[in-house]
Amino acid sequence: MEIAGIDTAEEKAHFFSQCRVESSLSLLEAGWLDFEVAEDYRQSLAYYPYYGAGYIQLTWEANYKAFSEYMGDPRIYSEGPQY
């Protein structure tokens, strides 16, 4: 938050609220969607296999690569959202 300049109570509340929205259970995790249907959908996405995962949903290869380099963890990029 410090790096991004998120320093007011309102900005912090928004940040954590967004984390909550982004990380809520998917239909697959909730048991409402078959794995094969979910995987077919993911594979149809222009940014596959770099789709959102985690508290802050990274999407697109360039974002995974940049975050991987920033964190010093090559597995973030090489293994994608499964990691």
Side-chain angles (χ1 to χ4, degrees), residues 2-18:
E2 187 175 304
I3 291 170
I6 300 171
D7 54 10
T8 68
E10 183 178 56
E11 290 168 338
K12 290 175 182 178
H14 180 266
F15 176 81
F16 286 116
S17 297
Q18 191 64 38

Side-chain angles (χ1 to χ4, degrees), residues 13-49:
H14 180 266
F15 176 81
F16 286 116
S17 297
Q18 191 64 38
C19 288
R20 169 62 179 97
V21 169
E22 296 284 356
S23 64
S24 64
L25 283 177
S26 70
L27 294 176
L28 175 63
E29 293 166 326
W32 300 335
L33 188 63
D34 180 67
F35 176 82
E36 289 180 16
V37 173
E39 190 59 21
D40 286 346
Y41 169 73
R42 284 189 205 105
Q43 288 181 13
S44 74
L45 301 171
Y47 44 82
Y48 182 84

